[in-house]
Amino acid sequence: MKKLVVLTGAGISAESGIPTFRDSGGLWEGFRVEDVASPEGWQRNPALVLDFYNQRRKKALEVKPNRGHEILAELERHFTVVVVTQNVDNLHERAGSTHVIHLHGSLFESRSTKDERLVYPIEGWELNPGDACEQGSQLRPNIVWFGEQVPLMEVAAMHAQEADLFLVVGTSLVVYPAAGLINYVRYDTPKYVIDPNLPEVANRKFLKMIEEKASTGMEKIRQELLDLQ
Ligand code: NAD
């Protein structure tokens, strides 16, 4: 089977009812990213940060995957699909995708503030002040914040290099290093970008831009992808 690698961003979850980030003026649900998605914000006010992610987690549990997520999952019948997502929700998994790399971490995991190797699943939607790891340190969301290393970038880049087909769905391509993933893809690999507000992409050879929402854009290119399998 050919390998289809897909980079997704907040836009693929928009039709499920999770707002994107750039579309709301650079704020994340009304909060400045410096306050809720940075190590400095965590130092200043951990209770605010925990509550912010509790609300995001609660919302993520209330919504459902949309056609965009579903079509990607269905494509596993025809391709070896690797989804590299910047999203912290779990809608790809709930739609049935089996190989999902969460570049920016997951809402549904916590990790120790003392030893980052100590990662735990979060049951339900709450992580609170006082919730501690086995060594007694406060737990934080296992999210990659602005200014932090992206540990899974290397493995994502390896998949991008191996891609026979590469698809970008719903990302403004402004957050690095994730936005640079397309640069690892072989030059002659067909590449598609689906976004109602197309991002700037250099080197447009073998690149097809589809100015659509994730659901309709995925419907449109599904047959074209199947013809290339
Ligand atoms: P972004 O908010 O910067 O960009 C969203 C992109 O999605 C835009 O290009 C926009 O035009 C497009 N879009 C809007 N509606 C769409 C639709 N229906 N279908 C397809 N595309 C649509 O998002 P980003 O590039 O992913 O970067 C934001 C960062 O914020 C990420 O790192 C992510 O961790 C975080 N974030 C995550 C979520 C989530 O997990 N669902 C939501 C908001 C923000």
Side-chain angles (χ1 to χ4, degrees):
M1 278 206 263
K2 285 190 174 167
K3 183 162 182 164
L4 169 65
V5 178
V6 190
L7 173 66
T8 67
I12 197 167
S13 295
E15 289 164 88
S16 293
I18 300 183
T20 66
F21 166 52
R22 307 284 151 189
D23 292 332
S24 26
L27 294 177
W28 195 350
E29 299 274 353
F31 289 85
R32 298 185 326 145
V33 289
E34 299 88 328
D35 291 335
V36 294
S38 77
E40 295 76 21
W42 172 253
Q43 292 303 331
R44 273 197 301 271
N45 194 344
L48 173 87
V49 175
L50 288 171
D51 186 55
F52 173 78
Y53 288 100
N54 285 348
Q55 298 310 321
R56 305 286 74 73
R57 200 175 295 113
K58 194 167 178 220
K59 175 81 182 179
L61 288 168
E62 285 164 7
V63 302
K64 291 197 179 80
N66 63 59
R67 272 311 279 156
H69 300 103
E70 285 167 6
I71 293 170
L72 277 185
E74 287 162 17
L75 286 169
E76 290 195 10
R77 285 191 235 129
H78 308 276
F79 297 97
T80 301
V81 181
V82 179
V83 178
V84 179
T85 188
Q86 297 165 87
N87 295 346
V88 295
D89 65 51
N90 60 0
L91 294 177
H92 283 302
E93 288 90 341
R94 285 169 52 201
S97 285
T98 58
H99 192 168
V100 184
I101 296 173
H102 281 274
L103 270 189
H104 294 162
S106 165
L107 278 175
F108 296 96
E109 287 175 353
S110 64
R111 80 164 195 247
S112 168
T113 44
K114 185 173 183 193
D115 180 348
E116 62 184 39
R117 292 167 304 178
L118 296 176
V119 173
Y120 308 90
I122 297 178
E123 309 295 344
W125 61 274
E126 281 183 281
L127 184 65
N128 291 312
D131 289 346
C133 73
E134 65 215 53
Q135 297 187 7
S137 293
Q138 174 67 43
L139 290 169
R140 58 165 269 186
N142 191 24
I143 305 274
V144 177
W145 287 327
F146 287 93
E148 294 188 318
Q149 292 291 323
V150 181
L152 291 174
M153 189 61 199
E154 212 171 302
V155 65
M158 188 262 302
H159 287 296
Q161 276 165 354
E162 290 174 359
D164 299 303
L165 295 160
F166 189 77
L167 185 56
V168 177
V169 190
T171 168
S172 55
L173 290 176
V174 297
V175 179
Y176 278 82
L181 197 66
I182 196 164
N183 300 325
Y184 290 89
V185 183
R186 290 192 305 268
Y187 89 100
D188 56 346
T189 293
K191 303 172 192 70
Y192 301 81
V193 177
I194 299 175
D195 199 303
N197 183 11
L198 289 168
E200 287 294 318
V201 188
N203 191 0
R204 292 180 168 227
K205 208 163 184 207
F206 300 105
L207 184 71
K208 190 162 176 182
M209 305 290 257
I210 298 131
E211 200 168 352
E212 293 268 354
K213 290 181 172 181
S215 57
T216 53
M218 287 299 304
E219 291 284 5
K220 264 196 182 159
I221 64 153
R222 184 205 343 222
Q223 194 53 49
E224 191 167 333
L225 293 174
L226 293 180
D227 290 344
L228 292 169
Q229 71 182 297

